[in-house]
């Protein structure tokens, strides 16, 4: 089955409806980005705490040591 412009909504929809869809898409995208920025700002505040940074550094160190140990004991 071949898809052409005649088979889509755009071929039969009035221009006002298409503009409304485009505007709603832009508004939803903007809302998504605003929520994302707000969440990342809160995450930055949380992750910049000294206690959280030290915990993350420790976790990263354990992961690196584990990867190194696995690599060192790996047989080829």
């Amino acid at each position: 089955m071949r898809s052409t412009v005649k088979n889509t909504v755009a071929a039969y929809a009035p221009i006002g409806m298409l503009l409304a869809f485009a505007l709603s898409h832009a508004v939803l995208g903007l809302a998504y980005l605003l929520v994302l920025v707000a969440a990342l700002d809160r995450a930055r505040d949380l992750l910049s705490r000294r206690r959280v940074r030290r915990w993350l550094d420790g976790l990263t160190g354990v992961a690196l040591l584990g990867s190194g140990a696995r690599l060192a004991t790996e047989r080829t």
Side-chain angles (χ1 to χ4, degrees), residues 2-71:
R2 217 171 75 166
S3 176
T4 62
V5 175
K6 292 179 184 178
N7 295 340
T8 63
V9 174
Y12 302 107
I15 190 72
M17 182 181 286
L18 294 177
L19 289 174
F21 284 151
L23 180 63
S24 68
H25 180 42
V27 169
L28 287 173
L30 178 63
Y32 167 76
L33 290 175
L34 289 173
V35 168
L36 184 64
V37 165
L40 290 176
D41 185 50
R42 292 190 73 168
R44 183 186 64 176
D45 290 343
L46 174 71
L47 293 174
S48 65
R49 294 179 185 165
R50 183 174 178 87
R51 187 174 184 178
V52 174
R53 282 187 17 220
R54 289 187 69 201
W55 184 82
L56 285 173
D57 286 344
L59 183 65
T60 303
V62 168
L64 286 173
L65 287 174
S67 296
R70 184 174 176 188
L71 188 61

